[in-house]
Amino acid sequence: MRTAAYCRFSSDLQREASIRDQLRNIEAYCARMGWPVPALYQDQAISGSRNDRPGYGAMLAAAELGVFEVLLLDDLSRLSRDHIECAQAIRRLKFAGVRVIGVSDGTDTGRDGYKLETGLRGLMSEMYLDDLAKKTHRGLMGQALEGYSAGGLSYGYRSVHDGHGFKRVIDEEQARWVRHVFERYAAGSNPRMIAAELNQLGVPSPRGGSWSHTALYPDSKGVGMLGNPVYIGRQIWNRTAWVKDPVTGRRRRTARPMSEWVIVETPELRIIDDDLWALCVERVRKQKRDTVRKAEATGK
């Protein structure tokens, strides 16, 4: 009997030992059945809602080549957290003549009625993720409403824990360069010129490397230093949502309506004054209007 094991854990917060724990459970099952030690396919720190996992893809490809006859999982949720993908994977494995066994949850596609069982388990796995996402979002909203960090840290600030959560505080060294960017832009420099100047002066970017003009100019979602209202003491959270692409399983950022935004006034985080902010915002708007007019005039 040729056997294989597929093991997975979903995030960096989990441990690599999780793979070993799953595999140990699977190997113990094989020993009881008198089966050989399985070949291991694995994915580390990748969500089961994605179908582009390298180990998962290699396992399916090997199954279709007839490399193994039985696939063992610790439980069915390791295979996929998407009930449609889970059903499709099992269909592919069955077609390839592979029996799927969940050691901990008792799943076995060698039994009659497995379609109902695996269908329900796959749906429960997906609902678990949906419920977890809602609870996480609710918790983050509570943090945001109380002025705590709910994810992301803009350049010019650092994060400190006050015993209840993480608060943003001004990083004075970075704040001076935030003021420099706004002052230079208001004076007529464009983002490319400002980024080049920062690089020439040896100022580290938010990630420690070189500056790019895209980090300064606000895009259609308002992302970019010159469009970030936190610099005038206004934190905005929940402007975007991550939605799973049904084809790849990867998450994509989409804009939320303004009615869902969480806006908290935090004057202690102000780095620039209202007049400088207004000058820069008006120049951004003018440049966008000019770009649209130019595109309409040229027919592009």
Side-chain angles (χ1 to χ4, degrees), residues 251-264:
R251 298 190 307 157
R252 295 182 181 275
R253 188 190 291 271
T254 59
R256 292 183 186 271
M258 288 185 65
S259 59
E260 295 181 14
W261 292 6
V262 176
I263 303 175
V264 180

Side-chain angles (χ1 to χ4, degrees), residues 168-242:
R168 294 182 178 93
V169 296
I170 294 175
D171 182 313
E172 292 299 340
E173 175 59 27
Q174 292 184 358
R176 64 186 280 249
W177 294 111
V178 171
R179 297 185 190 98
H180 177 85
V181 168
F182 276 86
E183 288 166 358
R184 296 289 290 155
Y185 186 71
S189 294
N190 63 45
R192 288 184 185 276
M193 295 166 59
I194 299 170
E197 182 181 16
L198 292 172
N199 291 329
Q200 191 172 35
L201 292 170
V203 180
S205 72
R207 295 185 178 181
S210 59
W211 286 87
S212 169
H213 71 282
T214 57
L216 306 180
Y217 196 75
D219 61 15
S220 59
K221 300 181 180 66
V223 178
M225 184 183 291
L226 291 166
N228 193 341
V230 70
Y231 297 122
I232 55 170
R234 182 177 300 127
Q235 291 192 85
I236 301 179
W237 181 76
N238 210 43
R239 287 200 287 188
T240 60
W242 288 96

Side-chain angles (χ1 to χ4, degrees), residues 99-121:
R99 177 183 174 189
V100 179
I101 295 176
V103 173
S104 295
D105 62 10
T107 298
D108 188 345
T109 61
R111 290 197 302 261
D112 291 339
Y114 77 87
K115 289 184 179 180
L116 178 61
E117 179 185 1
T118 56
L120 288 172
R121 289 191 186 280

